[in-house]
Structures are given as structure tokens and as C-alpha cells.
Amino acid sequence: MGDDRKADYEMAPTSDPENPDPPAEKAELQTQDDGDDQQWSGLGKEELLRVANTPAWNWTRNILLILFWVAWILMLVIAIILVVKAPSCPDLEWYQESSMYGVNVRSFQDSDGDGIGDLNGLKNRIAKIKEDFGAENVILSPIFKQAANTTLEANFGYNIVNFTDVDPALGTLEDFKSLIEQIQINGMHIVLEFVPNHSSDKHEWFVESSKSLDNEYRDFYTWAPGSGSGPPNDWKNYKGESAWTQLGEQYYYHFYESTQPDLNFRNANVTAKIKEAMNFWLSTYKVDGFVIVDADRLLEGPITTSLGRKRRQVVTDVTTMLTDMTTTMEPGMEGEPGMEGEPGVGEGDVDPSSEPKPETNPSGGNGMADYVQYSTMGSDGGLSEAAQGVLDELYSVMEANSYLGKFRVFIPQHSGDLEQNVLYQKEGWRGFPSSLSFANQIGASTDSYMIKDHITKLIDAKAKAGKSDLWDSWMIGHAGISRLASRAGNSARALTMLLYTLPGTPMPFYGDELGLKNLSSGVSPQLAPYPWDSSSSGGFTTGNGTDPWQDVVEDLETINAETQATTDGSFLKFVQNLSEYSSKPSIAAGSFNITSMNVNFFSYIRSFPEWPKFVVAINLNDEKVNDISVLEKKQMGKVVLSASGTMMDEMVDLTQLSLDTNDAYLIELEECETCLF
């Protein structure tokens, strides 16, 4: 029937007899050469639909539709295969993806010609830190307002009279705001070293505290009456001298100088004030986190005098502290928390004839063994409930100022050995602990066994505490010790490779990327002004006739950033390459396994699924090592970086590896399906 209708339409007249001149449109159709087009002209919608339903057209449409869906499904399958086959990247936070570069602000760059580094100088150099030093995160030395009599010696930054202002020597709050803007423009992050342990004796809190026994600020600090004709007890300061200084009728406690009285974190009002200061920097200026300096010294134990009496210390609203203190009460004091809620000083009487009782809490770790006043650890070997309570309170400020895509980092810094990192790690915290001890013990006599001992103790302690998956950090230089290049000598580069390839965040100290050494003289020889170029002031200051606050390095011709940035084999070039490799998945987030060692040779492998694996081999000896078996089975690898600059891109056999003196290799392994790592 469809054919009959087609024939009928074909025989239909193409012109109106009464109107021999057809419309222009019909005339045009009649003159078309394409017979197919002409045969369907003039059909209405219904007729076209009937024709389209013929078997031939149905088959054509169905075949095309099937081909479309087959192609679409095929592309989908290919895309899924590509996604599945592509190696997965580690899921890291910003503070885990790049090193954290420690800057001493007054030694970095002077912008106003007074010879002292400042915030504007740092702002002008901030892009260099990312582009030339390979660090996307910056840690600033304490910038808070100092007491008027504070000099530029090592105490600068620690005699704080205002926790929410910048010291005038470094700039203003507006300068800090401008620095933050530059940090953000460069896609970087900024962390402040925060010093909550103590204040200056010129701080308004201490000035008020020292006025009378019943002053509302009295218990912001630790005060106690003397014992006999001397201090309350034999607590020692960092110098090994008495940690007490008399002022009026009583003594106040200070772990550092007498001008730096310790704040009393058993008083919840102190915790609240410090939290307000932290919130100021987080909410107003959007800093990305804090290093909590002296996290292991925030909480002193109850004061046991030489007469066997405990001074009651005020605590309000912090239940965890009350619970902790109850566990340390002496016999006969059951039912009392060992403290008063009222301001002022009181004493809980016990048997006056009793012998002095030692503190029951262990000390805070290596470097703290003689400081029995610190109640960092609890009876179970973990952080004491009171100390954990203080850190939880401080961390809560970070949490309150974090949101999706903008997490603040919390870095409790302590002086204990690496294994005590577990005391300052907590599930759910965003951040990591920082130990000064490892850096303090790095020197010319450092050997492989010492390094292995630190690392394995940390790994074992984390496993025992159920914290194996929590993040760590590494530091081999800081403001309180001699320069790495001065301490470690020829091993400085090899140890720098160690820093950047261990599991965790590397925390390099400014100038170490140049091999900067101690000054031969000066008030702080480890804090030399940064040498940017080979000019007389090293490019540190533009002052006319104003010298830097202390001398610049002597060998400016070679130890300066400008020269080393363009010199193959320089320390800076080495660090630039190291920084690049440290972001590779296997090194940034891979597993860590020690593969071989002797007294001066140390090797380990870093591995992340489906990504290239790396072996790090370090020789800390002044003699060459030969034919060391790094892996049990024969395996080849390419030396992608070496501390000495030799053997670059050379293939080496990991069962017969040789290294020159004080050298280190970063070796990328070939694909190996049978290798057991």
C-alpha cells in the first residue's frame, strides 16, 4: 500500500490548470536534479511518517542507534579502565605535601635600612622561598611585641608583653596583613611559632600578679612561699640553677630567665586568655596554624616544698585537671582536689615532720630528666590527663577556625626524644609533633646506628600506642643550636637528603639550603643575616652606612643564593632537586623500610603502590664504602640525585653498591614484579 500511495503522488499534476504559472517555491522544487528529493516533495507530516515506518527505514534507524550505544558504552569502558589502571595518588593535607621552611624574621631581609630583618623584607622575598627553595609553607620565629629592654640576643621573641601585636622592630600589624596577602597570592601557607609557656615580667598580667596576694591575676603565674630561708623547693631552670626568684614575700617560678615567668595553665583563666590570642591570629589574619613552643613545659606539677607541703594552685572549670590532680594527692588529703578556687595562696597542711616527697610523675623525656616539676606523662605512659586537657583546649581553637578546604595545622614542639612524639599525637588532630632532640644530637659524630635507633624507637612507640598511621615531622636544624654545616661538616648534604626523604614533613631551617655556617663571632652566630648575593651586606640590607644587626658570612662569594641558584652542583641546586623528589608519592606518603646498614652506612626504601620506588643510601663515613648489598635480590636502579653530584643518571646494581665519602644517593628502581617491597 505504501508503494501505491507513492505512485499516486508521483502521478499527481504538478500545476494548477487554472493557474499555469506555479508559485516560485514549487517551480524551484520541479527543477531539482536530485530525484530522491523531488519524489518526497509536497508530502505532509502524516504521509512522511507512514513512509518512514517502512521496513527499510526501520532497519536503518535501528542499526544506527545500536552503533551509537555500542560506541558510547565502549568509550565508557575505556574511561573506566584508564581510571582503574592509573596509579592512585596519596590523599594528603597541605602541610603534608611540602616542607615547612623555618624563617628567623630579623635575619632574613631588611626592608627599611635599619639593619634588622622585618616583615616587609620577608614579604619581598616570599616568592623566592617557593621558587628557589622549593617550600610552600613558612614558619615564622616569634614576632610578638617584646619588652622594651629586650635586645637582639637569643631571647628576642621570647620576652613577650603582648601576644596580639607585632614587635615594632619587625613591623606592624598592617605589615603582617600585607605579608599574609602575599603568601596567599603565591599559593603558600604561613605558621607562627607561638610561645604560651611564659611571658615577660613586663607583661601587664605579671605586673598585676606581683602587686598583691589577692590580685585577680595572682594565679596567672606560679607563686609560692619560701621554705626556710630559701626557695620553695629544688626545682631547677634550664641552666641547672634554682627556678625560683623572690619578689616581695613570695617566689615565682620560671624555667627560663627570671624575666620570663611561667604562666600557670592550671588556671583555666590563663588557658582562656591564650586561646583568645590564638583566635586573634587565626580569625583576623588567617594564619594557617601554630607551632606550640615548649609543649612539654606548659604544666608544672603540684608544688612539693622541702617541708613536704603542697601549695594549692587555682583551677577553675577544667574537669580534666581536677581529675588529674586528685590522683597526685598525698595521703590524708582524700576528698580535696589539692587546690583552691579562690584567688590567692594557701597551703594544705600535712604532717610537718614528714620527709619531703618526690614528684611521682616522670619527666618529659630526654633533656627533661632533671626537671621533676613537669607532669607531662601519666601513670600509663601516655600524656597525663591534665597535660592532654591543656593541649585539647588549645587545639579547639584550631578546630573552630577550620573549615572544608582550609584546615589549620597544630604542631606541639617538645624537647623529648623522637619516640615521645606519640605523646603529642592524637587521632583527629590535624597536624604533627616536632621534636628538637633529633636535631640536637646531629653532629660530626653522628653514625648510622644513632639514626636507626631514633627512627626504630619512634616506629615501635607509635605501633605500641596504636598511632602508626599518624603523621610525623623531621628537623635537623633550628634557632637554638649550631648550624648544620658547622655541626656535621662534610656530612651536611647527606643528612639533608635524610631530612627530605624520611616519612613525614621536613622542616628545614633558613640558610641550611646554602650550607650556611656559624659566624666566627656575634651574639647569635647561628643566626647570620641571609646572604642573598655577594655584595658587602649580602643583599640583606639596603641601608646607607647601616650595618646588619650582626656580621654576614665570611665566604660570601660562594655562599649566597644568587650565585648558587645558577651554579650546577651547588648546595642550593641539590636542595631544589631534593625538594622536587620529596613530593613524589613514594617519598611523600610511601612505606618506609630499612634495608641495610653498618656503623656509617644506612639505606632504606620508600614505596607507594603503583608509583616508582626509591632507595636512599647514605654514607656518613670519611672513607668510601664498596659493594654494599642494599637489596637481597639483584635489582638495578638509576641514581637520580647524589649529594656529591657524581653518578647522576648512572645505573647501579643494588646488590653491589659503592658510595664515596660522605655521599648519598637517591635511586629510582626499575620495574620489578618479583621484588619483595
Side-chain angles (χ1 to χ4, degrees), residues 168 356 401 430 591 662:
N401 283 278
R430 295 185 183 276
S591 61
N662 298 297

Side-chain angles (χ1 to χ4, degrees), residues 132-192:
D132 290 355
F133 307 160
E136 297 182 4
N137 310 311
V138 180
I139 298 177
L140 299 195
S141 59
I143 62 173
F144 313 105
K145 189 173 183 179
Q146 304 292 292
N149 61 347
T150 303
T151 63
L152 287 174
E153 282 106 2
N155 282 337
F156 187 87
Y158 300 91
N159 286 337
I160 300 171
V161 295
N162 191 335
F163 286 95
T164 58
D165 200 2
V166 172
D167 189 80
L170 305 179
T172 65
L173 285 172
E174 281 300 311
D175 294 337
F176 186 74
K177 181 180 179 181
S178 181
L179 170 63
I180 293 293
E181 292 171 352
Q182 195 63 32
I183 286 279
Q184 294 172 346
I185 288 172
N186 283 276
M188 300 171 69
H189 297 86
I190 189 166
V191 175
L192 297 184

Side-chain angles (χ1 to χ4, degrees), residues 377 380-383 388 418-427 456-470 472:
M377 294 176 65
D380 62 352
L383 203 63
Q388 184 66 62
L418 276 173
E419 63 263 32
Q420 293 211 9
N421 275 4
V422 297
L423 299 177
Y424 306 96
Q425 291 171 314
K426 185 175 180 180
E427 194 72 43
T456 54
K457 282 183 177 179
L458 171 62
I459 293 172
D460 292 345
K462 292 178 68 176
K464 183 178 180 181
K467 298 179 177 181
S468 295
D469 293 334
L470 299 188
D472 286 298

Side-chain angles (χ1 to χ4, degrees), residues 109-120:
Q109 178 68 66
D110 171 29
S111 70
D112 57 11
D114 65 356
I116 301 171
D118 48 47
L119 295 174
N120 281 331

Side-chain angles (χ1 to χ4, degrees), residues 22 38 71 89 92 169 212 269 363 402 459 487 493 507 628 645 660 673:
Q38 187 175 6
C89 294
L92 299 177
S212 64
N269 293 323
S363 64
S402 293
I459 293 172
R487 284 180 286 124
R493 290 199 188 197
M507 301 175 71
I628 298 291
D660 285 331
E673 296 181 359

Side-chain angles (χ1 to χ4, degrees), residues 391-604:
L391 291 179
D392 283 343
E393 286 289 318
L394 300 186
Y395 181 77
S396 69
V397 188
M398 321 295 291
E399 196 75 0
N401 283 278
S402 293
Y403 46 88
L404 187 62
K406 181 66 172 181
F407 296 110
R408 313 305 174 95
V409 66
F410 187 65
I411 309 176
Q413 188 181 86
H414 65 96
S415 59
D417 279 336
L418 276 173
E419 63 263 32
Q420 293 211 9
N421 275 4
V422 297
L423 299 177
Y424 306 96
Q425 291 171 314
K426 185 175 180 180
E427 194 72 43
W429 278 6
R430 295 185 183 276
F432 50 82
S434 172
S435 169
L436 300 177
S437 175
F438 186 65
N440 293 346
Q441 296 179 55
I442 291 288
S445 60
T446 297
D447 60 37
S448 300
Y449 291 119
M450 186 275 277
I451 294 173
K452 180 191 176 185
D453 184 59
H454 279 280
I455 295 173
T456 54
K457 282 183 177 179
L458 171 62
I459 293 172
D460 292 345
K462 292 178 68 176
K464 183 178 180 181
K467 298 179 177 181
S468 295
D469 293 334
L470 299 188
W471 202 256
D472 286 298
S473 67
W474 300 91
M475 180 188 299
I476 58 176
H478 59 80
I481 57 176
S482 176
R483 280 282 174 184
L484 175 66
S486 295
R487 284 180 286 124
N490 295 330
S491 297
R493 290 199 188 197
L495 290 168
T496 301
M497 182 175 287
L498 178 77
L499 171 69
Y500 278 88
T501 56
L502 286 172
T505 298
M507 301 175 71
F509 188 55
Y510 90 98
D512 282 350
E513 71 277 358
L514 301 179
L516 198 64
K517 297 181 179 179
N518 283 358
L519 299 172
S520 57
S521 61
V523 293
S524 300
Q526 76 279 17
L527 300 179
Y530 196 92
W532 294 99
D533 56 43
S534 59
S535 64
S536 59
S537 67
F540 170 75
T541 181
T542 57
N544 296 322
T546 302
D547 293 330
W549 70 277
Q550 64 176 353
D551 291 340
V552 295
V553 294
E554 296 175 355
D555 39 3
L556 269 174
E557 289 298 321
T558 55
I559 300 184
N560 72 79
E562 184 179 72
T563 298
Q564 291 199 16
T566 57
T567 302
D568 291 338
S570 69
F571 209 129
L572 180 55
K573 285 282 191 180
F574 171 64
V575 170
Q576 288 173 347
N577 291 328
L578 256 181
S579 181
E580 180 181 347
Y581 277 103
S582 71
S583 64
K584 303 290 185 183
S586 287
I587 298 177
S591 61
F592 171 88
N593 291 287
I594 297 173
T595 61
S596 179
M597 70 173 301
N598 59 38
V599 66
N600 286 308
F601 179 84
F602 185 61
S603 67
Y604 48 92

